[in-house]
Amino acid sequence: MDGDVLQDISENLVIGSAKKRGKLINEIRAGDRIFIFRAIPLNGRRKLSFVAYTMVDEVYSSPETLYDYYESPRKLKLRGIKFFNPPLPLIKIRDKLVSVEPKKWSSTLQSEYRRIDERDFRIIRSRANFIDRFPAYLEEVSFSMDEFLINSIMGLHSILRRADGRKQMEIRSFIKLLDEFIRTYGISKSYEELEEFYSINAWRTGIKHYPSRDPERIVTLYNSRGNGRDFGLISLE
């Protein structure tokens, strides 16, 4: 979900599903509470964060596409919307959430809608400071660290294509090499931070990826619309 769609939601208080035949949206009922979760720029790079909270007021059906984004006939009329200020990055609380699998946290929230544990809801809610107005941090801004990491990913990929000799590499192994690569520039990031960045931004590089049957290799990669798919390998061809 990009910033323009979230702006439309805040003004019109209606959401749907980007998939025309989305299944999970059919489970949502009036009175259900919803956290909105997306990647946003924080401290020079994008982080998966909780940015808004709302409640479903009414469920209805309409064939019209909403905001040129939501294609499902089922629509959710919202009772209102409040924004996290500041936003709440997942990385700060993921170890406390039972709805997030420790070894697969990047894939846990790949679904457009996902039901979470009531205990997790209370943890997230307790960390929130809400405002009613659309926050400035959701405006699209260019950050130099974002571009540095994208360029580093593409530079490392180019080096490996020329020198490695393999056709494929595990994404997790590539991210570990990326860590070593950026350290030569005096930049230090944890593996978790780099995996999160890669998950959100791999689509921007144009690099080809392949799925894997090995669950230990899985990294969820998100496309430009925020939809996630599981992959395990990166192409070096």
Side-chain angles (χ1 to χ4, degrees):
M1 180 191 300
D2 61 30
D4 289 340
V5 173
L6 197 48
Q7 178 83 61
D8 287 335
I9 292 170
S10 70
E11 294 173 357
N12 298 283
L13 298 178
V14 181
I15 59 176
S17 173
K19 299 177 181 178
K20 194 166 187 177
R21 295 178 177 82
K23 295 181 179 179
L24 292 176
I25 192 173
N26 293 326
E27 299 178 7
I28 300 175
R29 301 288 184 267
D32 284 351
R33 299 161 296 179
I34 297 176
F35 287 120
I36 296 178
F37 179 84
R38 60 159 294 188
I40 60 169
L42 287 174
N43 299 321
R45 56 176 299 261
R46 292 181 180 271
K47 294 184 179 181
L48 292 168
S49 305
F50 295 95
V51 298
Y53 168 67
T54 184
M55 180 179 289
V56 179
D57 187 48
E58 175 189 350
V59 178
Y60 69 95
S61 182
S62 170
E64 296 182 0
T65 299
L66 191 61
Y67 319 135
D68 292 323
Y69 181 78
Y70 291 126
E71 298 184 1
S72 65
R74 190 178 179 88
K75 305 293 194 302
L76 309 176
K77 178 68 177 176
L78 306 178
R79 193 167 297 178
I81 188 167
K82 294 183 180 295
F83 295 95
F84 284 70
N85 190 43
L88 179 60
L90 172 63
I91 198 169
K92 287 188 175 182
I93 60 169
R94 68 179 189 214
D95 293 336
K96 297 179 174 64
L97 305 179
V98 298
S99 302
V100 176
E101 297 181 51
K103 293 184 179 181
K104 300 180 182 179
W105 66 269
S106 67
S107 64
T108 300
L109 296 169
Q110 66 173 307
S111 301
E112 185 177 24
Y113 290 97
R114 180 185 178 89
R115 190 172 297 278
I116 64 172
D117 185 85
E118 178 66 27
R119 174 182 171 275
D120 287 355
F121 173 86
R122 291 196 297 268
I123 290 173
I124 298 167
R125 179 65 180 80
S126 69
R127 299 295 185 93
N129 179 55
F130 291 125
I131 58 174
D132 294 323
R133 65 184 183 278
F134 195 80
Y137 68 76
L138 288 174
E139 301 294 336
E140 293 297 324
V141 182
S142 174
F143 286 85
S144 59
M145 180 58 71
D146 244 24
E147 296 308 314
F148 168 76
L149 290 174
I150 289 292
N151 291 337
S152 296
I153 290 169
M154 297 180 70
L156 175 60
H157 184 256
S158 179
I159 292 170
L160 292 173
R161 287 182 64 189
R162 295 194 305 268
D164 189 85
R166 288 177 287 179
K167 294 183 177 181
Q168 299 173 349
M169 171 183 284
E170 289 186 24
I171 296 173
R172 293 184 184 278
S173 297
F174 180 84
I175 293 172
K176 291 175 182 177
L177 289 177
L178 178 64
D179 178 31
E180 297 177 12
F181 185 82
I182 65 173
R183 285 178 188 274
T184 65
Y185 292 90
I187 303 297
S188 178
K189 299 286 183 183
S190 68
Y191 174 85
E192 289 77 13
E193 288 179 302
L194 290 176
E195 181 181 313
E196 181 185 24
F197 182 87
Y198 196 87
S199 294
I200 299 166
N201 295 282
W203 67 272
R204 297 170 63 189
T205 68
I207 297 172
K208 190 172 184 179
H209 299 85
Y210 301 99
S212 173
R213 295 182 179 179
D214 183 352
E216 296 300 318
R217 291 181 172 183
I218 296 292
V219 176
T220 300
L221 305 183
Y222 296 86
N223 63 20
S224 60
R225 300 183 70 176
N227 300 320
R229 286 184 57 195
D230 288 343
F231 293 91
L233 301 168
I234 183 172
S235 172
L236 298 180
E237 294 186 292

